[in-house]
Amino acid sequence: MNPAPSFSPLARVLHWLMAVMILSMLFIGIFMASSVGPNYHRLVTLHRPLGIAILVLALLRLTYRLRSSPPPLPNDLPAVMKLAAKVSHILLYVLMIALPLVGWGMLSAGGYPIPLWGNSVLLPPILPHNPTVWSWLRYAHTVLAFTLFGLVLAHISAALFHGLIRRDTVLQSMTHTKTSL
Amino acid sequence: MAEKSTGPSGSALRWLGVAVAPAALALGFLWAGGWLSPHRVTQNRLMGELHKAGSYGHGFRRAHSKGVCVTGRFDASGAAASLSNAAIFQEHSVPVVGRFALGAGQPYVTDNPATVRSMALRLMPTDAPEWRTAMNNPPVLPLRDAQDASDFFASQRLDPETGKPDPARVKAFGATHPWLQAAADKNARRVISSGFADDTYHSLNSFLLVAENGTKTAVRWAMVPMQPMAPSDGKGEGRDYLFQKLIADIHDHPLQWRMVMTVAGPHDAVNDPSQTWAQEDRTIDAGTLTLNTVESEEDGPCTGLTFDPLVLPPGIVASNDPILQLRSAAYMRSFALRSGEKRGSSAITPAMTQTPESESGKKS
């Protein structure tokens, strides 16, 4: 049996780097949004540059993804699973890009200055000051974050399903360093 | 096919392997969000306690709900510039949007001299990041951390029978928080001024000024009125008399305050706003605030803002005072909640804040 085709090294580095960043971001987000404790401000201060870094990496990754072809799914994978894989990956890309933009937009609409680094490097507002829009986007930020967390859980479950139950080439293509390409 | 060619793929152990990682992450997420720790003081819990303590809601701030917007300018004296490189301590005519309010959660409450009064400011240098600060008239804050704040708000819960906090609960809070007694006594002994214009407003929390060379200096500050202070006689006509007096005062002449920075001495507690600082501390006159217009909160310039005390410019950073974090988090949550609600009309209406000239101009 030929070694399974893997994702390119760049695709794998982007995937695992962003996996760590996005999971950290979701946990920081849910913790700070409930917290009034001594780490609140430190976490908010970390949340903004991490979100912008995810946005930049997600855009790079999307550009790369559109120009390269990932390893194909196994031929014997049922059509409904193939469809689920395709749709969930599109949604993951949409949320990786939408969540930072909604966060940036909500702070803009709330009239907050948006420090990116320290308190001297500020991001410009991307929406006009409008408290109703701020409130709406703040709510949307939570809903989208929960959706992304759910998708990440489904993604991990599916990867483990491929690796442990179906034992096909799918999980390997992102973990394995060997490539036949 | 892969699953048929290789061993017992459907075994319980393998399925467990599939389920464990996502389940562990989901549990971790629930923990991070506070759902597994019912005693943790969260933003939602504070908002709930404020609601039970009579906070009105309906588009109004959860605390300090009754207020007016003011505008004016800040002129630095330059005396604080050696301690902080913030633009605000060097520039002149920095535009200011502010808000005076009563520290109650009811936007239609009847003015009472004993109610906490607050001054909130947004200072906006033209080419440097803005600074927001929200100050109260009692000299110290009788709360040390988030748990104290939560316990205090819970003790203020309204008794449905009387519509007032249960005196037994209020007393119990004092008895179980003896470390706050000195602060409460100090605030109770303060001389209450006749109105907003002749009142002194305190930063309550400590901050660190950062000089050009990186030196950090712990400070608190107060806005000290240049209007002569007259003690309150405790009397007043009508629901809004304190606000009406403020409006008349600003229409009469611009109101001014000196921003007095107090530098922490060696024994002053920087991380505890319930501790009074030493009398002999060095003070610095950082500049003068001048307020010359007053507007209703309805469509006023201070309404769609939250005066988050951690919106700080370069040159000022937060101290390790835990109440600062609590305020920042709670203000943001209150701001998100109220901005999504339909707001009732303000007690202080646009008609009440009209200048006498514009009113007579309309009549003619």
Side-chain angles (χ1 to χ4, degrees), chain A residues 23 26-27 30-42 44 76 106-107 109-113 119-120 122 129 131-136 138 145-146 149 152-154 156-158 160-161 163-168, chain B residues 1-3 6-9 14-15 17-18 21-22 25-26 28-29 31-35 40-43 46 122 129-130 132 146 304-306 308 310-314 316 322 325-326 328-329 332-333 335-336 339-340:
Chain A
L23 266 178
L26 286 164
F27 276 85
I30 188 70
F31 184 84
M32 74 185 211
S34 61
S35 172
V36 293
N39 292 311
Y40 170 78
H41 192 240
R42 197 172 304 149
V44 175
D76 63 344
M106 83 188 196
L107 292 175
Y112 281 95
N119 50 3
S120 51
L122 301 190
H129 183 190
T132 309
V133 174
W134 138 258
S135 170
W136 194 86
R138 175 66 192 80
F146 277 71
F149 186 66
V152 167
L153 292 189
I156 293 170
S157 307
L160 291 170
F161 173 75
L164 293 172
I165 309 297
R166 277 185 55 91
R167 287 192 267 176
D168 57 20
Chain B
M1 296 192 53
E3 58 191 299
T6 52
S9 62
R14 285 173 178 282
W15 277 106
V18 174
L25 283 174
F29 198 69
W31 172 83
W35 286 287
R40 199 164 107 195
V41 182
T42 62
Q43 295 178 15
L46 281 186
R122 179 193 198 193
E130 64 177 271
R132 298 185 193 177
L305 287 178
T306 188
D308 181 336
L310 291 184
V311 172
L312 298 168
I316 309 177
Q325 313 257 345
L326 173 120
S328 182
M332 190 182 233
R333 181 51 61 108
F335 184 37
S339 301

Side-chain angles (χ1 to χ4, degrees), chain B:
Chain B
M1 296 192 53
E3 58 191 299
K4 278 172 192 161
S5 60
T6 52
S9 62
S11 78
L13 210 60
R14 285 173 178 282
W15 277 106
L16 195 67
V18 174
V20 161
L25 283 174
L27 266 178
F29 198 69
L30 289 175
W31 172 83
W35 286 287
L36 304 182
S37 13
H39 296 291
R40 199 164 107 195
V41 182
T42 62
Q43 295 178 15
N44 281 339
R45 177 162 152 189
L46 281 186
M47 294 302 121
E49 279 159 358
L50 285 172
H51 176 71
K52 287 181 188 149
S55 173
Y56 178 80
H58 296 94
F60 289 90
R61 287 168 209 263
R62 271 24 185 182
H64 297 244
S65 311
K66 184 182 186 182
V68 287
C69 299
V70 287
T71 49
R73 65 173 199 275
F74 183 78
D75 299 291
S77 69
S82 60
L83 295 184
S84 166
N85 59 0
I88 186 79
F89 294 127
Q90 301 172 35
E91 294 186 9
H92 274 259
S93 276
V94 170
V96 173
V97 168
R99 181 174 185 267
F100 284 102
L102 288 179
Q106 300 84 35
Y108 306 109
V109 71
T110 299
D111 293 356
N112 181 333
T115 307
V116 167
R117 289 171 215 152
S118 59
M119 171 199 273
L121 302 175
R122 179 193 198 193
L123 303 112
M124 301 170 287
T126 327
D127 43 15
E130 64 177 271
W131 177 22
R132 298 185 193 177
T133 172
M135 298 159 285
N136 286 353
N137 66 347
V140 280
L141 183 71
L143 299 173
R144 187 188 55 181
D145 56 20
Q147 190 62 51
D148 282 356
S150 174
D151 294 347
F152 172 73
F153 293 137
S155 77
Q156 297 294 305
R157 183 192 298 178
L158 300 186
D159 183 337
E161 302 267 305
T162 62
K164 289 195 166 110
D166 177 352
R169 269 177 191 275
V170 176
K171 215 175 152 194
F173 174 80
T176 52
H177 297 73
W179 56 89
L180 302 177
Q181 195 56 51
D185 288 347
K186 184 175 172 74
N187 287 347
R189 281 197 309 268
R190 77 185 198 270
V191 179
I192 296 173
S193 78
S194 67
F196 283 102
D198 61 348
D199 215 341
T200 301
Y201 302 89
H202 303 267
S203 68
L204 304 175
N205 304 107
S206 308
F207 294 79
L208 306 178
L209 299 185
V210 187
E212 195 69 55
N213 63 7
T215 313
K216 288 180 178 165
T217 310
V219 295
R220 289 177 181 175
W221 60 80
M223 303 303 293
V224 179
M226 292 168 76
Q227 294 70 237
M229 190 274 204
S232 165
D233 59 7
K235 286 179 236 154
E237 290 279 313
R239 186 190 67 177
D240 307 315
Y241 74 95
L242 284 173
F243 284 97
Q244 280 166 333
K245 188 163 182 298
L246 170 67
I247 293 162
D249 286 345
I250 291 195
H251 287 168
D252 187 45
H253 59 91
L255 299 178
Q256 293 192 302
W257 282 262
R258 288 184 304 118
M259 178 185 274
V260 178
M261 291 274 164
T262 302
V263 177
H267 305 295
D268 294 333
V270 172
N271 63 351
D272 184 348
S274 70
Q275 300 296 315
T276 304
W277 281 8
Q279 282 299 314
E280 63 273 18
D281 283 344
R282 180 162 69 107
T283 59
I284 297 163
D285 179 348
T288 306
L289 172 74
T290 305
L291 298 176
N292 45 27
T293 62
V294 55
E295 287 170 76
S296 164
E297 286 200 280
E298 283 176 35
D299 300 320
C302 71
T303 309
L305 287 178
T306 188
F307 292 92
D308 181 336
L310 291 184
V311 172
L312 298 168
I316 309 177
V317 295
S319 71
N320 58 354
D321 176 345
I323 294 289
L324 268 177
Q325 313 257 345
L326 173 120
R327 290 175 69 191
S328 182
Y331 289 17
M332 190 182 233
R333 181 51 61 108
S334 161
F335 184 37
L337 291 175
R338 72 180 165 93
S339 301
E341 297 163 347
K342 191 172 157 27
R343 193 175 192 275
S345 58
S346 297
I348 313 304
T349 62
M352 289 164 70
T353 56
Q354 265 178 6
T355 56
E357 298 89 72
S358 72
E359 228 169 323
S360 58
K362 265 185 190 170
K363 277 172 199 159
S364 64

